[in-house]
Every structure is written in structure tokens, then in C-alpha cells.
Amino acid sequence: MSVAHPHPPTPPDRHLPASPAFPDGEDALEALLATPSPGLVADLADLDGDLVILGAGGKMGPSLARLARRALDAAGRADLAVHAVSRWTDRAAADRLAADGVTPVPFDLLDGDPAALPDAGNVVFMVGAKFGSASDPAHAWAVNSALPDRVARRYRGARVSAFSTGNVYPLVTTASAGSAEGDPVGPVGEYAMSCLGRERVFGHHSAEHGLRLAVIRLNYAVDLRYGVLADIASAVHSGHPVDVTTGHLNAVWQGYANEVALRALRHATAPEPFVLNLTGPETASVRRLTQLFADAFDTPAETVGAESGTALLSDASLCHALFGYPDVPLRTLVSWQAEWIRRGHPLSGKPTKFQVRDGRF
């Protein structure tokens, strides 16, 4: 597909992997998301202690938990437990995880006693409050900035891989390759500021108490039921125009994002955290994506607005150098997303709101 200003090319000794087959339905999608790569299996083989996933009931949590369990089993580490912590208001989701060998732990992270959480040598922190942060910023700060202090104190001796967001960066020109890990941050709005607060609180425990930390700045994960591609494709399929004011974006296959979050545990460091941008290698044009979906659905492409010249973009070349390129590239994701919608498979109904430019979610 046509993209603008790709990140640096693949190093000569790396090759793009062959894409898997289209996952035709939720069962096939979950199975694919839970299939570990040889690299993940090798990395988790040396895991020093059980794994706790905090916020495992969210959009990415269940698939990450299954992936971790299967990778550990493939590595011969059935001795290590995978604990999936969430309030688990959806009991059926918890039961499905239990059937796959993951231990669901019902727990309210904001109000519960952290001492009651399972012991673990490794933690993936996935808790976050985004939507509604404009109307209830106090809650966003409590979840995104205050809660990490409780978690860091409970798991001071563990390795922590903490999800953050590319929103901690300012909007940058689409002529750039995106913000790199060493660039100045510039969060816009309460949500982005509270997420930077999360990084700073975890970073304090890394500097002062030796918490081994990896900070994962993600934007945007795609799993076919949700994501920026689902947002655009759904609008096109429904005959609604797509706003192209935010005219460019990054996206990445969720299976790859889950793998990177787990493999980053081995890179967690103190007193300086390991910081990693996590997204795909392309800067994709929203207008071009709209046209591709219009072609797939044999319908006119309708857009509104004009490209502003700036967008939330991240340079993930360090991630690709460490872990390779995503095994499902963007052009394949576009084809899959169109086919997913064409076949009437379910969508989450949770838009990313990638078009938001003032930080008000």
C-alpha cells in the first residue's frame, strides 16, 4: 500500500516473515493471537518467577495472557503460573482463560489490598483509563498515576513491563519519521498527562528502589474487532465519511504488540527504565486507507476535512531492531479488516478516537 515516510528499512540480515492465513471468526482470531513465536518461547524460557498480568480483563489482556501461557508451555515452563488480575465482571471471559491454563484473579486494583495479590517475579501492567478522562479527570489520574505507586510498592523486586501510550509525545509533522524514545515528551490533555504521570511514578521506583522497568509506548494496536483500521473500515462500510484532518497514523498487529510487551520483560532495567515505542513501521495515510476500504467494499470513498500536516506518530525502529518486524504487515491487516467486516464478524464498538487532536477523550 502507499505510505508516507516509512521508518528505516529492514536490516540486511532480517527478512519479513510470511503472513498467517486470515482468521475467519473469533475462535480463529484468538487462536492466532495466542500462537507464540520462537523468539517469545526462547525469551520466556528463562523467566525468573511467575507472571502477573494486571488489568487482564481489557481489550488486549485475555489474548496476552493466553499467549504467555502457551509460550511458557512450549518452553517447558509449566512450573510457572500466569495470573490474570481484573475485576472480572465478565465471568465467562475469566472461565475461558481458566480453561486455557491461566489463573483468573478477581481483584479491584484501586480499592483492594495489594498484599492480597499473587507473588510474582514478572508483571505486565495493562491498567489504564482513557475514555471519559475529559469529563472525569480525577478518575483518570487515580488510575493512570496513583495506582502505579501501589503496584510498584507491591512488586518492587519484580520485573515490570508497563504499557504506556504514544500520546505522551506531542503531535509531529507528517514529514518526520515520528517521535523517538529520546525525544522530548509533550502530552496534550488530561489523559496524556496522566499517562506520563504513570511513567514518572514507575520511574521514581526504578530510580529510588531498583524496580526493573520497561515502559511500552503503544499506538495503535489492531485485532480486527477494534482499532484504527476497524474505525475507518466501519465508517466506509456504513457509508459515513472519514475525517482526514488527522491524516496519518501508525498501527500494529495486536499479536506482535502482546509479544513485545512480554519479551520486553528481559530488557527491564533500573535505575533508568527501558523505554520502547511500539507500533508498525509505516506512517499510513488515512485518506489512502479510506480508499483501500472503499475499493474492498465497492463503494465510494467519502472524506471530510483536510490533512493538518501533523499527527501522533512514533518511530518504532528500535523495537523492530530488537524484535523484528510485525509478522502481519499493514497491507495484510487492511485486507483482513475488510474481509472481517464483509463476513459480518463482531466488532467491539469501542472506537479509538484517533482523530482527537486536543487530548479530550
Side-chain angles (χ1 to χ4, degrees), residues 49-325:
D50 290 346
L51 172 66
V52 163
I53 302 167
L54 301 177
K59 291 184 293 187
M60 294 177 64
S63 61
L64 187 145
R66 288 189 183 89
L67 178 67
R69 179 69 272 161
R70 293 191 182 180
L72 286 168
D73 290 345
R77 298 304 307 272
D79 57 306
L80 298 184
V82 177
H83 301 282
V85 178
S86 171
R87 286 178 296 174
W88 291 120
T89 53
D90 182 353
R91 189 62 225 179
D95 291 343
R96 287 192 294 271
L97 278 182
D100 288 331
V102 175
T103 304
V105 180
F107 190 85
D108 189 323
L109 285 163
L110 272 180
D111 295 328
D113 180 359
L117 287 167
D119 292 336
N122 304 275
V123 176
V124 176
F125 184 87
M126 308 186 75
V127 188
K130 180 176 183 179
F131 302 120
S133 57
S135 59
D136 191 1
H139 176 72
W141 283 91
V143 173
N144 295 336
S145 298
L147 177 58
D149 181 70
R150 290 161 55 87
V151 170
R153 292 177 186 276
R154 172 63 179 86
Y155 291 108
R156 187 167 289 174
R159 294 179 180 270
V160 176
S161 180
F163 273 99
S164 185
T165 170
N167 288 85
V168 299
Y169 296 118
L171 301 179
V172 297
T173 173
T174 56
S176 74
S179 297
E181 289 86 353
D183 290 349
V185 293
V188 177
E190 297 269 3
Y191 165 68
M193 288 189 286
S194 67
C195 290
L196 182 59
R198 174 198 298 143
E199 293 190 16
R200 297 298 189 236
V201 170
F202 272 129
H204 165 76
H205 284 272
S206 183
E208 296 297 322
H209 306 295
L211 177 75
R212 291 166 293 176
L213 176 64
V215 173
I216 310 299
R217 293 173 175 167
L218 170 67
N219 60 299
Y220 290 96
V222 171
D223 106 330
L224 304 185
R225 292 166 293 197
Y226 73 88
V228 290
L229 299 185
D231 293 348
I232 298 169
S234 296
V236 173
H237 191 254
S238 301
H240 297 137
V242 175
D243 188 343
V244 297
T245 306
T246 298
H248 296 80
L249 57 80
N250 300 137
V252 67
W253 168 233
Q254 182 181 303
Y256 179 81
N258 287 344
E259 287 225 357
V260 168
L262 290 166
R263 297 183 70 183
L265 286 164
R266 291 192 62 189
H267 295 263
T269 53
E272 287 289 330
F274 171 67
V275 178
L276 187 71
N277 290 343
L278 171 52
T279 194
E282 305 93 349
T283 297
S285 161
V286 175
R287 188 180 297 277
R288 175 60 175 153
L289 291 171
T290 301
Q291 184 63 59
L292 287 172
F293 286 123
D295 292 344
F297 298 136
D298 193 23
T299 189
E302 298 183 50
T303 60
V304 294
E307 288 89 340
S308 68
T310 61
L312 181 70
L313 300 171
S314 296
D315 178 350
S317 54
L318 173 60
C319 177
H320 306 143
L322 289 172
F323 303 117
Y325 273 35

